[in-house]
């Protein structure tokens, strides 16, 4: 099995004999928010790469934080009054997991909870179509197995052996849940799904290789430590820059390639979702770095697995030698 999407990286992965089917189980990659805390609501959202979170009853707060000497990074959910349950999960593609059908796997995670003494786990496979789980609010999936870990305030490792049915070739979903997290923190790290009973040891790729795996589903032009936002306040923080080559209608065109080819989910929407960000203003337009003015009418086209085309209307005072800058994110996650 190889899911690192680059021939050179494939060789390295094989040499390390990797067999953790959870991408970013180490919790080391956080392109979505980096270290900024964020609200977790009843609407499922990706909070770090490959993982989503939900808070029912009331909003919780999520954060990607430093761990201890064993856990470089953990994902922390801080409860609040009124919270009735929290969910933390990841969806794994059929392409990566179909070979597990009919086998026994070991699900393991390092978990701590400063308030509650139990955390439940569930493992599902997707509906009839590959990678089509439905949404978290309206799921289309079949339960394989579930159970409960008896947790406490110390980060400890918990595991469960699970028999995967032969029908489970459409993709797998791992879900962790707590009850009424009305205060305190629940923390997750070192999440793994490995073939073989009792195979609970955590292993992971090096961080650069893990980032490549994550970028197959989500990529951004921003520097790693900058959360994607409008008007991030700088013009040298990684935004894409291109020359204002003008057509007769004052348009500028550019093709922006991805670093890593994107996941294509035929069960839902093949097209990668592109979101644009203005580096110097509170809108989604490109910015003329020479004239210090925002452009207008950004249009995205041909946004498939290798890149996308952008068309920008330059400002009226713009010139053919101007340089335009824009930020973007490209998302092709399995629908949640």
């Amino acid at each position: 099995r190889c899911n690192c999407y680059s021939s050179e990286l494939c060789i390295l992965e094989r040499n390390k004999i990797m067999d953790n089917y959870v991408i970013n189980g180490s919790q080391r990659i956080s392109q979505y928010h980096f270290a900024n805390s964020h609200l977790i609501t009843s609407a499922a959202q990706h909070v770090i790469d490959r993982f989503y979170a939900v808070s029912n009853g009331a909003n919780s707060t999520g954060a990607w934080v430093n761990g201890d000497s064993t856990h470089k990074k953990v994902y922390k959910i801080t409860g609040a009054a009124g919270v009735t349950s929290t969910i933390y999960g990841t969806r794994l593609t059929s392409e990566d997991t179909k070979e597990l059908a009919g086998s026994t796997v070991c699900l393991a995670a390092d978990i701590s909870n400063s308030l509650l003494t139990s955390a439940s786990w569930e493992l599902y496979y997707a509906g009839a179509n590959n990678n089509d789980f439905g949404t978290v609010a309206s799921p289309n999936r079949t339960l394989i197995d579930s159970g409960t870990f008896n947790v406490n305030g110390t980060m400890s490792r918990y595991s469960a052996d699970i028999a995967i049915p032969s029908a489970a070739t459409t993709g797998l979903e791992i879900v962790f849940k707590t009850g009424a997290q009305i205060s305190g923190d629940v923390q997750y790290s070192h999440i793994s799904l490995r073939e073989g009973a009792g195979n609970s040891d955590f292993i992971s790729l090096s961080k650069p290789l893990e980032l490549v795996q994550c970028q197959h589903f989500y990529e951004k032009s921003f520097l790693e430590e900058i959360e994607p936002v409008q008007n991030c306040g700088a013009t040298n923080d990684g935004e894409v820059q291109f020359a204002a080559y003008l057509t007769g209608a004052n348009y500028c065109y550019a093709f922006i390639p991805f670093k890593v080819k994107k996941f294509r989910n035929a069960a839902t929407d093949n097209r990668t979702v592109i979101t644009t960000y203005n580096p110097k203003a509170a809108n989604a337009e490109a910015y003329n770095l020479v004239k210090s003015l925002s452009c207008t009418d950004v249009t995205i086209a041909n946004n498939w697995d290798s890149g996308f085309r952008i068309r920008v209307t330059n400002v009226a005072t713009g010139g053919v030698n101007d340089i335009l800058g824009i930020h973007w994110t490209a998302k092709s996650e399995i629908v949640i």
Side-chain angles (χ1 to χ4, degrees):
R1 180 182 69 95
C2 184
N3 55 9
C4 60
Y5 318 109
S6 168
S7 58
E8 294 84 359
L9 299 182
C10 285
I11 294 171
L12 293 173
E13 182 171 289
R14 289 192 193 102
N15 288 342
K16 293 185 71 174
I17 320 177
M18 300 304 301
D19 64 351
N20 181 8
Y21 287 81
V22 177
I23 297 175
N24 200 28
S26 66
Q27 315 288 278
R28 286 183 299 178
I29 310 299
S30 178
Q31 296 187 91
Y32 283 90
H33 299 286
F34 194 64
N36 296 327
S37 62
H38 43 273
L39 285 182
I40 303 173
T41 70
S42 58
Q45 60 175 302
H46 286 99
V47 288
I48 66 171
D49 287 71
R50 307 300 300 121
F51 284 83
Y52 68 83
V54 175
S55 180
N56 293 312
N59 295 339
S60 299
T61 300
W64 181 68
V65 299
N66 293 326
D68 52 27
S69 58
T70 302
H71 310 86
K72 291 184 178 180
K73 290 293 182 180
V74 302
Y75 187 75
K76 179 175 70 173
I77 299 174
T78 300
V83 172
T84 56
S85 66
T86 69
I87 299 173
Y88 191 57
T90 184
R91 290 178 166 180
L92 315 178
T93 71
S94 61
E95 293 81 358
D96 284 344
T97 60
K98 61 185 178 182
E99 65 196 59
L100 293 174
S103 69
T104 297
V105 299
C106 183
L107 171 64
D110 289 5
I111 305 173
S112 71
N113 197 313
S114 63
L115 175 70
L116 304 176
T117 57
S118 66
S120 64
W121 59 267
E122 298 165 350
L123 183 65
Y124 297 88
Y125 67 90
N129 298 318
N130 289 344
N131 308 313
D132 187 3
F133 298 86
T135 64
V136 174
S138 182
N140 175 29
R141 61 193 184 185
T142 299
L143 180 66
I144 297 173
D145 203 352
S146 62
T148 301
F149 297 138
N150 296 320
V151 300
N152 54 50
T154 301
M155 185 70 83
S156 302
R157 191 146 189 84
Y158 304 92
S159 64
D161 293 337
I162 306 166
I164 305 294
S166 58
T169 61
T170 51
L172 299 177
E173 180 174 12
I174 299 167
V175 178
F176 297 102
K177 292 181 177 179
T178 71
Q181 193 80 42
I182 58 174
S183 65
D185 304 318
V186 55
Q187 298 188 100
Y188 299 95
S189 191
H190 288 191
I191 299 169
S192 64
L193 186 74
R194 301 181 63 192
E195 190 170 10
N199 202 2
S200 63
D201 291 345
F202 181 76
I203 56 175
S204 123
L205 293 168
S206 64
K207 184 178 178 181
L209 299 185
E210 205 156 38
L211 175 61
V212 169
Q213 286 192 311
C214 292
Q215 287 176 328
H216 183 52
F217 301 91
Y218 181 79
E219 185 180 331
K220 65 180 183 178
S221 61
F222 296 85
L223 298 182
E224 181 181 4
E225 65 272 18
I226 296 179
E227 180 179 8
V229 292
Q230 303 295 349
N231 194 20
C232 61
T235 55
N236 60 352
D237 55 358
E239 81 276 359
V240 174
Q241 297 184 0
F242 52 96
Y245 175 78
L246 306 181
T247 70
N250 207 35
Y251 293 139
C252 312
Y253 290 90
F255 181 79
I256 299 175
F258 298 136
K259 295 176 183 176
V260 180
K261 280 195 172 184
K262 295 293 167 279
F263 170 66
R264 297 281 298 279
N265 190 358
T268 51
D269 184 358
N270 286 332
R271 192 176 295 270
T272 301
V273 177
I274 306 298
T275 303
T276 57
Y277 299 82
N278 191 323
K280 292 286 285 182
N283 57 55
E285 309 294 347
Y287 193 78
N288 188 314
L289 303 175
V290 176
K291 299 298 191 299
S292 298
L293 293 169
S294 293
C295 301
T296 59
D297 299 329
V298 169
T299 302
I300 302 298
N302 304 114
N303 45 320
W304 296 105
D305 59 352
S306 60
F308 62 97
R309 188 186 73 168
I310 184 170
R311 189 190 79 169
V312 174
T313 302
N314 197 15
V315 293
T317 57
V320 71
N321 294 317
D322 292 350
I323 300 296
L324 310 183
I326 197 167
H327 272 300
W328 54 268
T329 60
K331 184 176 182 179
S332 58
E333 299 273 14
I334 297 175
V335 171
I336 56 170

